[in-house]
Amino acid sequence: MKKTILVLCLALVPYAEIWSQHQDDPIMMTVAGIPVPRSEFEYSYNKNNTDGVIDKKTVEEYVDLFVNYKLKVQAALDEHIDTTQAFLKEFAQYRDQQVRPTFVTDDDMLAEAHKVYDQTKENIGPRGLIQPAHILMLIPQKATKQQQDEAKRRIDSVYKALQDGADFEELARKVSQDPGSARNGGIVGWCSQNQLVKEFENAAFALNPGEMSAPVLSPFGWHIILMKDRKQLEPFEYHKESILKFLEHRDVRNSITERKLDAMVKASNGKVTKEQLLEQRADSMAAADASVRYLIKEYHDGLLLYEISNRLIWDKAAKDEQALAHYFKKNKKKYVWEEPRFKGMAYHVKDQGDVKAVAKCVKKLKFDDWNEALRTTFNNDSVLRIRVEKGLFKKGDNALVDREVFKVQDAKVDSVKGYPIDATYGKLLKKPEDYTDVRALVVADLQDELERIWIADLRKQYPVVVNTELLKTINNHE
């Protein structure tokens, strides 16, 4: 039932054209004194009966669903749920998700992109970008004289090999101790000033494309640097799209909105708040755009519907243990199993004496209290004496239960290291003995019953008038 309500609620996302105040948009029905135009009903019907919907409804069948939805929303309004602080806060958050982005224009985003580009260009500076490759021989921190000499000997050997015509990329892959760049033949990537350690940077920026340095010592060790390429930063248009994507990822739109709202509040000398500005923008958008008006209404009514349904149906049924027990007792015949269940536990212990101790521990307790009793009795200190799986098992759920209870001869029970003794305790049930054995089913059925009772009461409380002749014109009134 919960899914049906939410689907119906979400279906009320509108198209702009259906809210127009055309003279040919007659009143389809009146629910609790509130008129519903044909366009609203027609849209909701079409939205919930697309080709992908499994359980399609006829127009006549859908009327009841739609009326019930409207009645529940009216009941929530009569309960003044829409005036609670929790509702107002959550609705404002939903509403503002639609409103806040409208404060940001394409020009705003373009201006931010230019700022990022200009700052990047300034950081790069007149020397531009370089793409160096290097071969590194690491020198550990606090290296001994012998380790330093060995690193120098090895880098000189590599340098001589390069001077004699060895391939730089091949040597980088084989001997460079910078694993990140070694995989790429020593290529570091595009770099600008102040991105590299000083010694490396000074040597690299002194090279032209194709030139190679002699060994250079840095805090990391010895480098041989090959300059692959150099360039200046490309024009703004070259990077425009990637910068805009970066800004979207960083949620810059929200920052722009905040700045604009702050400026508007300041310009008003404190006469308006951000919340008022957002509400005013929402009202303005709703007046100008029917789709926005419907969308905001969807959020509003959907929150009302969820809250009142949760209070009267979903949460109430799930937590009212007495009502669940009463419903199960009254409807026991509904809950049957095709095959028996084992209500109990499969467990593993270290000592044979604990097999009987476990049974004795839980024998007089309610099933729901077993876990706590076993924990405090057997696993309450650093020495864990038992491993337990408790539940309602059918054949195939647990190999130990299959072997010991259902007598499945080929059941393969995996041994539990350190707990060599396997046992089970509980009872075999041919049918549920109380509602906890089929709790999920009972909760769902009780919710459905409460829903039916509630709908019947709403139908008595609020008048509903449907123009049955007008139903014939749904999707056929052009």
Side-chain angles (χ1 to χ4, degrees):
M1 183 57 67
K2 182 184 295 189
K3 289 183 178 179
T4 301
I5 290 173
L6 292 179
V7 167
L8 182 58
C9 172
L10 293 175
L12 296 180
V13 182
Y15 298 122
E17 61 268 23
I18 66 171
W19 191 262
S20 59
Q21 299 299 313
H22 289 172
Q23 293 180 354
D24 61 349
D25 191 13
I27 299 304
M28 182 84 256
M29 64 182 68
T30 302
V31 181
I34 307 299
V36 178
R38 177 173 59 189
S39 58
E40 180 180 352
F41 175 83
E42 191 169 64
Y43 171 78
S44 182
Y45 172 76
N46 291 335
K47 183 70 175 181
N48 282 281
N49 287 273
T50 61
D51 292 337
V53 175
I54 297 175
D55 184 23
K56 287 188 176 183
K57 304 291 185 183
T58 65
V59 171
E60 290 73 16
E61 290 171 336
Y62 191 73
V63 167
D64 278 344
L65 288 175
F66 187 82
V67 168
N68 291 344
Y69 160 73
K70 287 290 187 179
L71 289 171
K72 294 171 188 176
V73 171
Q74 186 60 46
L77 290 171
D78 288 349
E79 290 292 324
H80 305 294
I81 293 175
D82 59 327
T83 65
T84 64
Q85 287 301 311
F87 173 87
L88 293 172
K89 181 179 179 180
E90 191 169 2
F91 171 60
Q93 289 174 344
Y94 278 126
R95 180 202 64 201
D96 293 349
Q97 287 176 8
Q98 307 302 315
V99 174
R100 288 178 67 87
T102 66
F103 284 89
V104 182
T105 66
D106 291 343
D107 288 342
D108 292 328
M109 294 299 291
L110 198 59
E112 290 294 319
H114 274 290
K115 289 180 184 178
V116 171
Y117 177 83
D118 293 343
Q119 185 62 56
T120 302
K121 188 173 183 179
E122 182 180 343
N123 292 339
I124 290 173
R127 293 198 290 178
L129 296 161
I130 58 172
Q131 188 184 51
H134 78 139
I135 295 173
L136 171 66
M137 292 298 160
L138 284 169
I139 298 178
Q141 290 186 355
K142 299 181 180 181
T144 64
K145 179 69 165 56
Q146 182 180 355
Q147 288 174 312
Q148 295 178 32
D149 292 344
E150 175 62 17
K152 183 64 167 67
R153 184 193 66 77
R154 294 184 65 193
I155 201 71
D156 286 343
S157 175
V158 172
Y159 184 59
K160 184 177 187 308
L162 291 169
Q163 287 181 315
D164 291 342
D167 184 78
F168 190 96
E169 290 188 9
E170 184 178 347
L171 267 180
R173 289 190 175 93
K174 288 182 177 179
V175 304
S176 179
Q177 294 178 323
D178 176 10
S181 66
R183 290 192 295 269
N184 298 319
I187 296 177
V188 176
W190 289 104
C191 307
S192 65
Q193 62 186 9
N194 302 319
Q195 285 188 308
L196 305 164
V197 293
K198 182 180 179 181
E199 296 82 359
F200 189 106
E201 181 179 305
N202 290 341
F205 271 98
L207 299 172
N208 290 317
E211 292 182 343
M212 183 178 72
S213 75
V216 176
L217 182 63
S218 83
F220 294 100
W222 288 99
H223 310 260
I224 298 172
I225 306 169
L226 174 66
M227 183 53 58
K228 302 294 289 185
D229 201 0
R230 301 185 67 142
K231 68 177 181 180
Q232 293 295 323
L233 182 65
E234 296 86 353
F236 171 76
E237 288 299 324
Y238 182 88
H239 294 284
K240 174 182 171 182
E241 292 305 319
S242 61
I243 296 175
L244 288 172
K245 288 181 181 179
F246 167 77
L247 293 175
E248 293 289 359
H249 182 70
R250 294 290 296 272
D251 197 22
V252 170
R253 286 181 180 272
N254 191 52
S255 300
I256 295 173
T257 299
E258 282 298 304
R259 292 203 304 266
K260 286 193 170 186
L261 288 171
D262 287 338
M264 294 168 72
V265 170
K266 184 177 180 180
S268 74
N269 294 319
K271 294 180 180 179
V272 295
T273 64
K274 288 183 183 180
E275 291 72 21
Q276 289 172 328
L277 289 170
L278 289 166
E279 187 173 352
Q280 290 170 8
R281 175 60 66 93
D283 291 342
S284 176
M285 291 170 59
D289 188 335
S291 64
V292 174
R293 183 161 58 246
Y294 253 127
L295 185 58
I296 292 175
K297 179 178 174 59
E298 171 203 347
Y299 286 142
H300 182 274
D301 290 355
L303 288 173
L304 287 176
L305 190 59
Y306 178 85
E307 179 60 30
I308 195 166
S309 297
N310 198 48
R311 289 186 190 182
L312 301 181
I313 307 297
W314 305 331
D315 200 46
K316 180 178 180 180
K319 293 181 179 180
D320 192 338
E321 305 298 326
Q322 186 175 354
L324 289 168
H326 177 75
Y327 186 87
F328 173 80
K329 184 177 180 181
K330 182 181 176 182
N331 299 276
K332 274 188 176 182
K333 292 181 180 179
K334 291 176 59 175
Y335 306 105
V336 295
W337 293 326
E338 294 181 359
E339 55 184 14
R341 302 287 197 272
F342 176 67
K343 187 176 184 178
M345 58 180 163
Y347 63 99
H348 315 272
V349 293
K350 297 175 181 288
D351 302 316
Q352 186 65 43
D354 276 343
V355 174
K356 290 185 178 180
V358 168
K360 183 178 180 181
C361 175
V362 301
K363 185 176 181 180
K364 296 182 179 181
L365 298 178
K366 292 181 178 179
F367 188 65
D368 290 342
D369 297 332
W370 285 14
N371 283 340
E372 180 63 16
L374 292 170
R375 185 190 67 79
T376 56
T377 304
F378 297 95
N379 291 342
N380 202 29
D381 52 32
S382 59
V383 179
L384 304 181
R385 294 163 53 191
I386 185 173
R387 287 284 184 266
V388 183
E389 183 179 354
K390 169 180 168 287
L392 192 66
F393 304 95
K394 65 179 183 296
K395 189 182 296 185
D397 286 347
N398 182 283
L400 181 55
V401 172
D402 285 349
R403 188 184 72 187
E404 299 297 321
V405 178
F406 295 118
K407 307 304 179 184
V408 178
Q409 294 182 357
D410 59 348
K412 296 181 180 180
V413 179
D414 294 330
S415 61
V416 178
K417 186 177 180 180
Y419 299 84
I421 303 170
D422 306 322
T424 60
Y425 181 79
K427 53 186 173 182
L428 194 64
L429 302 177
K430 293 184 178 180
K431 58 183 179 180
E433 62 179 358
D434 62 49
Y435 76 95
T436 61
D437 297 334
V438 282
R439 184 185 183 93
L441 294 174
V442 178
V443 168
D445 289 344
L446 179 57
Q447 288 173 341
D448 286 344
E449 181 170 275
L450 292 176
E451 174 93 4
R452 287 192 294 271
I453 294 171
W454 184 33
I455 295 284
D457 289 342
L458 291 176
R459 291 276 183 163
K460 293 176 182 178
Q461 181 179 355
Y462 299 107
V464 176
V465 179
V466 179
N467 188 335
T468 54
E469 286 300 314
L470 202 56
L471 290 176
K472 300 175 184 178
T473 68
I474 297 300
N475 294 326
N476 186 30
H477 52 86
E478 294 183 0

